[in-house]
Amino acid sequence: MSENTFVTSDEEWDKIHTLIKFYFDDFKDFNSVDFLKNLPAVAYQLPARLVKFLNDFKYDVSPSGYCIVSNLKIDDKTLGSTPPHWQLPTNNDTCEEIVVAMCLISTILGDIFGWLTQQDGRMVHDVLPIRNLEQEQLGCGSKEKLWWHTEDAFHELRGDYLMLMCLRNHRAVPTIVSRPDYSKLTTSQLDRLFEKHYTIRPDNSHKIENESESRALMRKSGILGDVSAAYREVVQRDTQPEKIAVLFGDRDDPYLRIDPYFMGEPENAEAGDALHTLIDLIDNAIVEVPLKQGECLILDNYKVVHGRPGFGASYDGTDRWLKRINITRDIRKCHQVLQVAQPRIIY
């Protein structure tokens, strides 16, 4: 087993499950302020070996830039069928308990947050194939390859980490992950990538056409003013994207911000050459991670890109189903753009 994989023992899972039941009995709604505020006190009661593993990943980033927590037990029968749409998730005890486990694990790394423009402002997202979206650049697509990217690369408040929990993946559809070797870039290419020559537009998951019909009706009636304002900002970022640097931080071990599918042409040939070289380095470093049921993949969103190859969906209730959570190491940096009523949602 790889050193970046934590295998939960049966005894440790029993302890985690006891915490889940205890916590969820006290706080029924895992989107509530009370639930989120009290998470840290419970999270540090997780098995000590798991807490150490997560803290080691947080403060001493693994060479791969990702880690896996495995053997979080899920009963496939009680889980129920993979929903046909994220708007219609299956709310049963098995599903809700695994979400609580995700929240507890996430809290060791930072604060959970969501986007008002993504899956109707939910903090825990469903990633599953949706009929008629097969060719879309969305986590809910299938036939179309989901091009690799850093999550929400268009936004300066994107998460530090991304968590993907596998509820079901019978066909072993892989998540692709890559961390490039920057030593293969020339000094000139590094210079260009550290300069603001590039633009990234919002990805399709934040577009108004992917809002649910029910929320669209409320928004159009004028009830949800904040939502309308959030979508206006998405349009502005789409039509007038600001110039950014693709790399930042330490030149020897830089942070990364990239989403080639949604990037415009760089403003000069040297910047374009540097970007294409980096893209090739990322392509050459890709590894496939076919998550199994009960495995939780944690990605350092400043270090690695992720994506998914195309696959055929059956829409028979057995399709690949992941849960997704965004995590920031410091929720205070988002203070000016957090909702008052939902203080973990960015608009």
Side-chain angles (χ1 to χ4, degrees), residues 23-30 32 35 96:
Y23 195 41
F24 197 61
D25 284 345
D26 277 358
F27 303 99
K28 300 292 185 184
D29 179 6
F30 50 72
S32 73
F35 176 88
E96 291 181 344

Side-chain angles (χ1 to χ4, degrees), residues 86 115-122 205-236 337-342 345-347:
W86 60 260
W115 304 89
L116 196 56
T117 51
Q118 198 173 54
Q119 294 204 6
D120 284 5
R122 299 177 186 179
S205 69
H206 290 272
K207 301 293 179 64
I208 198 167
E209 56 263 30
N210 289 307
E211 182 183 34
S212 71
E213 291 184 9
S214 58
R215 195 175 76 163
L217 287 173
M218 288 190 291
R219 177 178 51 79
K220 291 173 182 178
S221 71
I223 296 174
L224 304 175
D226 287 345
V227 177
S228 295
Y231 281 124
R232 285 195 295 271
E233 181 176 336
V234 169
V235 170
Q236 182 176 359
V337 291
L338 292 174
Q339 286 198 302
V340 174
Q342 295 175 285
I345 301 297
I346 294 176
Y347 72 96

